[in-house]
Amino acid sequence: MKNIVILISGRGSNMEAVVRALDAEQWPARIAAVISNKPEAKGLEFAQARGIPTAVVANKDFASRAEFDAALQETIDCFSPDLVVLAGFMRILTAPFVEHYAGRMLNIHPSLLPLFPGLGTHQQAIDAGVAEHGATVHFVTAELDHGPAVAQARVPVLPGDTEDTLAARVLIEEHKLYPTAVRLFVEDRLVIEDGNVRILDRAAEPTSI
Ligand code: GRF
């Protein structure tokens, strides 16, 4: 049984999608906690209503990024995570924090990485005139939005699209993509090799001597 800790900053719809899929599909995992850096994050209400432990580590209470990340790490580690899932967690993370969770922290980014890292991805896609846009789930590394990609979902960019219409189309796919990727991790089917992710057909056998 794997422990998953989910970090959110706001609405939490991706968190909700992961929680619902885990329950519906009976993954060998539990959501050990949902943690927010914003006390007012809407997603906390959903987690509490499901009986999931929640915590707030408010970045505004800390003088530096390093102090905040250290406090966040301490709180996360109280829940013995096998996997940390960033779901709309709007913080740039320090290198020691990222290193601590190397190979066991996933993020979802609303673009077809390596295109459009950072913020405002939907408007960036419209401005660039691309025909296709989407979302990427990737392992988190020190360079923002650059870690090994696990899976991507694609949507068309349609004539007349605004940032909002395009974001809504991508979000529908995010809600399928993130549970799929997290489930692959839970099933031990993700292997990082030379900076790329290989997906195993089935879980790796334990190595024997
Ligand atoms: C999603 O589009 C996600 O890809 C991005 O921030 C948004 C969060 O939405 N990182 P939600 O909080 O999961 O509803």
Side-chain angles (χ1 to χ4, degrees), residues 10-15 87-88 90 107-110 122 171 174-175:
R11 180 177 57 185
S13 69
N14 278 290
M15 173 270 296
M90 304 305 282
N107 182 43
I108 188 159
H109 182 77
H122 307 302
L171 193 63
E174 289 186 48
H175 293 164

Side-chain angles (χ1 to χ4, degrees), residues 3 13 16 20-21 30 39-41 51 54 57 60 63 84 87 110 116 119 123 139 142 180 186 189 193 197:
N3 285 330
S13 69
E16 205 176 311
R20 288 187 193 283
R30 71 166 75 85
E40 68 278 13
T54 61
V57 184
K60 66 172 169 40
V84 176
F116 317 132
L119 295 175
Q123 192 59 50
F139 280 99
T180 302
V186 164
R189 291 173 58 192
E193 278 174 353
V197 174

Side-chain angles (χ1 to χ4, degrees), residues 107-118 121 134-138 144-147 149 152 154:
N107 182 43
I108 188 159
H109 182 77
S111 82
L112 294 173
L113 290 173
L115 292 176
F116 317 132
T121 57
T136 304
V137 175
H138 64 94
L144 183 70
D145 300 330
H146 270 80
Q152 291 189 312
R154 292 165 186 277

